[in-house]
Amino acid sequence: MPLEEEANPGSAQLLLLTLNEGKHRLSEGRLKAAFSEVIHSLVDNAKDAEARDLASIVVLARQEALQATSAKWDSTLAANGFCHKVAEVIHSEQLVLAAYSQDKGDCEFCQEFFASSDAKNTDPKGITSAVMMLCGFNIGLGSMHLDGNMVAAERLRPLQVAASTASCAGCDAVLLIGDVNCALEPTAEAFEVNGLGGRAAELLMAEYNKMAALEEDKAVSKLPDEFATMLQEGLATQKGRRALMVLDGCPAVCHLNPDGAIKEMRLVEMPAGSFPTYRLCNVGNAAFDGLRSAGAAAMAVGDGETYKEDGIVPLQPSLEVTADCIKACYFLDDDKGHSGSIKKRGDMCRLNLGWLDRLYVGAQASSASVAARQADPMFLLDEAGQPLDHALVAWRVEVQRPGGGRL
């Protein structure tokens, strides 16, 4: 459901952000500039936009997080008017969910729980969750880092467990954000379309079948040049990205425990023509240079002056770039060589490319509805100038009573 410009007075307003930090060190200045850019994106680049006008609470989901960065996020949120950290839930020191409010009385922390990717509860990946009371709504929140080395059915189990737990706890709505780890897939829908999406699905299925036939449990294989070139040329334009989004591996619906009041979680679709949020690269600054040549630039404010922020590039869906720029963004890395490659782990095969960083929403039909608007994803560099392989993604979310009625 799209978000209206004017908020209903009886609604709960939230700003959700997710970032898989990949254990990179991030500067406070970079975080503040990225947060400012998110806000400008959500209000169509209005220079005087402030986060405090958009939401009463900010929910931050971090995956592969460094503890040392927590204070920098605290300072970033405080500088934007969200001075009170009302909740922080941490699992295995690197999966973090934190909530910040403008006033102490804006919301109340109720309970926390964790849904592991491992049935034995030994896997550090999963979903760390909290239930909050906000504007009369019980809202379940979660930071997701699902296990990309599992096949899809097993990978998604924590999402179903976390949402079902929140539903059975009486939540009016559940909002889960983070790294779903579902990459490009030869979906059934893709095989039904002609053109770029259908052809890409056929080629991807053929490559997955080749990898699955290997005897090794672990393997990595580059895409054939012809297929890689097709993807690079397609991803360079908004029209091509729109066509390739038919291969989005994140399921549109996840069904929950039927005993709960919330029956399903629905994926919030990314804007048509969105850039993939993973696996980002920037060898020799070629990706940033290519994106900036196409007109992408982040502007930050400091000491009352507006200046170009060198470590951030907004990935606007309307951006048109070259195939070489896409190659630099997603197919060239200088470490593992996994970018633009297919990875095999046991029965799981996947291309390291896709729209991984997402929001799933669910609500009791009788007590709440949820609307969301996504900001432009942000491509970030760390303190040393190295790229984070996931984009920062944010949404403005409104939870309201059915029909928009007041509480």
Side-chain angles (χ1 to χ4, degrees), residues 208-230:
Y208 282 175
N209 287 340
K210 289 180 188 176
M211 289 293 282
L214 297 177
E215 294 183 1
E216 301 97 321
D217 278 343
K218 294 184 178 182
V220 176
S221 176
K222 285 287 186 183
L223 290 180
D225 290 343
E226 182 180 356
F227 186 18
T229 298
M230 175 194 292

Side-chain angles (χ1 to χ4, degrees), residues 28-46:
E28 185 175 318
R30 181 80 24 93
L31 295 179
K32 287 180 177 178
F35 188 82
S36 175
E37 193 69 23
V38 163
I39 301 307
H40 290 168
S41 170
L42 286 170
V43 293
D44 299 323
N45 296 308

Side-chain angles (χ1 to χ4, degrees), residues 62 72 186 194 209 254 295 308 325 329 352 401:
R62 302 165 59 207
K72 298 173 185 177
N194 296 318
N209 287 340
C254 287
K308 185 177 287 186
C325 177
C329 286
N352 284 325
R401 296 300 175 193

Side-chain angles (χ1 to χ4, degrees), residues 190-203 243 246-247:
F191 284 109
E192 295 177 359
V193 301
N194 296 318
L196 178 60
R199 179 59 178 152
E202 293 173 358
L203 293 174
V246 73
L247 292 131

Side-chain angles (χ1 to χ4, degrees), residues 6 21 34 38 44 55 63 82 93 98 146 172 208 350:
E6 295 296 327
E21 298 175 4
V38 163
D44 299 323
Q63 305 87 41
F82 297 86
E93 299 184 354
L146 304 188
D172 298 295
Y208 282 175
R350 76 165 198 183

Side-chain angles (χ1 to χ4, degrees), residues 105-358:
D106 282 346
C107 58
E108 178 185 352
F109 173 71
C110 300
Q111 69 180 91
E112 65 180 79
F113 53 91
F114 176 71
S116 175
S117 287
D118 184 340
K120 297 180 181 179
N121 210 36
T122 59
D123 193 330
K125 291 187 175 69
I127 304 178
T128 188
S129 304
V131 176
M132 308 287 295
M133 174 66 75
L134 177 64
C135 298
F137 293 93
N138 276 312
I139 301 177
L141 303 165
S143 173
M144 301 187 286
H145 190 191
L146 304 188
D147 195 334
N149 290 334
M150 292 182 169
V151 296
E154 296 175 0
R155 182 186 312 136
L156 294 166
R157 188 185 68 85
L159 192 159
Q160 296 164 318
V161 171
S164 293
T165 300
S167 173
C168 292
C171 286
D172 298 295
V174 180
L175 313 172
L176 303 179
I177 56 174
D179 181 1
V180 183
N181 250 324
C182 293
L184 265 64
E185 288 289 339
T187 62
E189 182 184 1
F191 284 109
E192 295 177 359
V193 301
N194 296 318
L196 178 60
R199 179 59 178 152
E202 293 173 358
L203 293 174
L204 186 58
M205 176 64 83
E207 293 304 312
Y208 282 175
N209 287 340
K210 289 180 188 176
M211 289 293 282
L214 297 177
E215 294 183 1
E216 301 97 321
D217 278 343
K218 294 184 178 182
V220 176
S221 176
K222 285 287 186 183
L223 290 180
D225 290 343
E226 182 180 356
F227 186 18
T229 298
M230 175 194 292
L231 291 177
Q232 290 159 15
E233 292 176 349
L235 291 170
T237 68
Q238 185 176 22
K239 179 180 179 181
R241 291 189 295 273
R242 186 185 297 116
L244 288 169
M245 289 182 83
V246 73
L247 292 131
D248 183 1
C250 297
V253 179
C254 287
H255 298 286
L256 307 183
N257 185 334
D259 294 334
I262 300 174
K263 306 300 183 184
E264 63 186 21
M265 296 292 290
R266 289 195 165 269
L267 178 69
V268 173
E269 292 185 2
M270 299 191 78
S274 289
F275 282 80
T277 65
Y278 176 85
R279 188 177 191 258
L280 292 162
C281 315
N282 191 37
V283 175
N285 214 48
F288 266 41
D289 288 345
L291 290 165
R292 286 177 178 147
S293 294
M299 305 303 291
V301 177
D303 298 325
E305 305 243 342
T306 301
Y307 63 94
K308 185 177 287 186
E309 166 54 56
D310 288 336
I312 303 171
V313 170
L315 298 173
Q316 298 105 330
S318 59
L319 203 60
E320 304 274 321
V321 301
T322 66
D324 284 343
C325 177
I326 292 296
K327 185 176 181 179
C329 286
Y330 298 104
F331 290 81
L332 294 175
D333 63 42
D334 54 5
D335 52 8
K336 297 180 180 179
H338 284 188
S339 297
S341 299
I342 295 177
K343 180 172 72 171
K344 179 180 188 290
R345 295 293 184 269
D347 294 331
M348 188 285 305
C349 295
R350 76 165 198 183
L351 175 62
N352 284 325
L353 176 69
W355 298 270
L356 273 61
D357 305 275
R358 308 300 287 271

